[in-house]
């Protein structure tokens, strides 16, 4: 642990002209007294760390000293590819590995390029969670992430949608962060399944490793399962007559794929378009299609048409 901290300290000083004890302590997450001891240890080991006193003082490397300790470890290399997802790295316990990897890459660059990561960070930020929700880190995400990185078997208890719990022996292949919600894609028996991480009630990472299926493609698997899940939700059909404006806005108020499919198969009716739209339920359709106002008229089923009539009467009474 201390050896890794000493290397990180050297890399920090190599990338900056000078750093105060307070700055180093903050970066290394230690006390300033520990920074002083570490600087002394480096100096005794032959690393020319110089401490300048006074208001403009700080620690610096003397004589253009360069370390060649810039080789990336596996965990650092893997974390580096996720460095655009700082929140996800923190949730999976990989923040330190990513920080070390960035420092090593910076140390290997030409002096004129060492601010590249800061320049990129000032210009691009990926915010994965959706609007209007406060993302929560699942309690058992870190051990699952550990198992994913090391290809280790997991014994787990999982809470199903009906509230019951099941025990599973899983081979966790990958993690997916979708709109602020974490999922793990894992092999259970002979099939691959998707589990919400926040529904795990217990996770025990085993010592045994499994052999990954070389044909497993995480992005392709997720895309396929996501499409299947969406289709499974759309179990109800409604018939809607749309104006030109309503047709343009339909993909923005309901499932985009379902809306585009309905519009492609729609029939023209005197400047309007009649579509058969797949929706999750009449209740969901009511909330979605009300957003189109007078640009959409529900034709069927009769029960949904009556609910729209009731909503219209209520609005008319409210705004009389």
């Amino acid at each position: 642990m201390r050896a890794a901290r000493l290397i990180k300290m050297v890399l920090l000083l190599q990338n900056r002209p000078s750093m105060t004890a307070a700055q180093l302590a903050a970066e290394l997450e230690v006390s300033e007294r520990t920074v002083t001891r570490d600087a002394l240890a480096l100096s005794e080991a032959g690393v020319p760390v110089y401490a300048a006193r006074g208001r403009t003082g700080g620690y610096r490397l003397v004589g253009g000293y360069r370390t060649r300790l810039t080789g990336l470890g596996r965990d650092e290399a893997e974390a580096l590819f996720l460095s655009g997802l700082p929140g996800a790295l923190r949730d999976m316990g990989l923040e330190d590995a990513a920080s070390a990897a960035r420092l090593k890459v910076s140390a290997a660059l030409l002096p004129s390029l060492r601010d590249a990561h800061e320049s990129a960070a000032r210009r691009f930020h990926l915010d994965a969670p959706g609007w209007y929700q406060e993302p929560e880190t699942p309690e058992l995400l870190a051990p699952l992430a550990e198992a994913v990185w090391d290809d280790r078997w997991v014994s787990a208890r999982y809470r199903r949608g009906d509230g019951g719990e099941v025990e599973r022996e899983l081979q966790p292949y990958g993690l997916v962060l979708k709109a602020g919600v974490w999922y793990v894609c894992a092999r259970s028996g002979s099939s691959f399944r998707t589990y919400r991480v926040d529904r795990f009630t217990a996770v025990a990472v085993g010592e045994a490793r499994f052999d990954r299926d070389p044909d497993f493609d995480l992005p392709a698997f997720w895309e396929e399962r996501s499409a299947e899940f969406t289709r499974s939700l759309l179990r109800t059909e409604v018939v809607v007559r749309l104006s030109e404006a309503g047709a343009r806005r339909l993909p923005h108020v309901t499932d985009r794929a379902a809306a585009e499919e309905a519009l492609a198969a729609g029939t023209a009716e005197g400047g309007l378009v009649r579509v058969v739209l797949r929706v999750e339920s009449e209740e969901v359709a009511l909330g979605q299609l009300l957003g189109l106002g007078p640009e959409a008229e529900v034709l069927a089923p009769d029960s949904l048409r009556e609910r729209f009539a009731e909503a219209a009467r209520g609005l008319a009474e409210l705004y009389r």
Side-chain angles (χ1 to χ4, degrees), residues 148-164:
V148 167
W149 290 118
D150 289 344
D151 296 337
R152 294 189 183 274
W153 280 87
V154 162
S155 298
R157 284 205 310 272
Y158 186 76
R159 186 179 66 256
R160 299 182 307 197
D162 60 9

Side-chain angles (χ1 to χ4, degrees), residues 12 18 25 41 47 65 130 136 139 141 156 165 185 218 249 273 284:
L12 285 168
S18 176
V47 178
Y65 177 84
E136 295 183 2
E139 182 180 352
L141 175 61
E165 286 195 359
C185 302
L218 179 60
R249 290 166 52 192
V273 59
V284 171

Side-chain angles (χ1 to χ4, degrees), residues 62-217:
V62 179
Y65 177 84
R66 305 288 299 170
T67 176
R68 296 188 179 277
L69 295 173
T70 54
L72 295 179
R74 171 169 287 276
D75 59 339
E76 295 168 346
E78 290 169 338
L80 186 61
F81 287 100
L82 296 173
S83 58
L85 294 164
L89 284 166
R90 182 177 58 251
D91 294 346
M92 290 188 290
L94 296 172
E95 192 172 26
D96 288 344
S99 175
R102 285 193 294 269
L103 280 171
K104 290 181 177 180
V105 170
S106 295
L109 294 174
L110 293 172
S112 60
L113 298 177
R114 281 188 205 132
D115 67 342
H117 70 287
E118 296 178 358
S119 177
R122 287 194 295 266
R123 290 166 172 80
F124 175 77
H125 173 67
L126 177 61
D127 185 9
W131 292 102
Y132 313 120
Q133 63 180 8
E134 188 66 31
E136 295 183 2
T137 303
E139 182 180 352
L140 297 174
L141 175 61
L144 280 170
E146 176 190 346
V148 167
W149 290 118
D150 289 344
D151 296 337
R152 294 189 183 274
W153 280 87
V154 162
S155 298
R157 284 205 310 272
Y158 186 76
R159 186 179 66 256
R160 299 182 307 197
D162 60 9
E165 286 195 359
V166 294
E167 294 188 359
R168 293 284 185 265
E169 295 292 321
L170 301 175
Q171 297 177 353
Y173 268 62
L175 288 163
V176 175
L177 178 60
K178 169 70 172 180
V181 179
W182 284 96
Y183 298 85
V184 61
C185 302
R187 172 174 264 170
S188 176
S190 59
S191 61
F192 288 96
R193 300 174 182 271
T194 302
Y195 302 87
R196 278 186 63 136
V197 174
D198 58 6
R199 288 188 180 174
F200 283 96
T201 58
V203 169
V205 181
E207 293 296 325
R209 286 185 166 88
F210 60 87
D211 294 324
R212 294 179 69 91
D213 182 346
D215 295 327
F216 180 79
D217 185 327

Side-chain angles (χ1 to χ4, degrees), residues 283-302:
E283 183 71 32
V284 171
L286 176 67
Q288 292 175 337
L289 297 177
L290 274 175
L292 298 180
E295 308 301 330
E297 178 189 359
V298 172
L299 305 177
D302 290 340

Side-chain angles (χ1 to χ4, degrees), residues 37 44 77 143 211 255 281 291:
R37 288 198 296 265
E44 292 175 347
D211 294 324
D255 180 78
S281 65

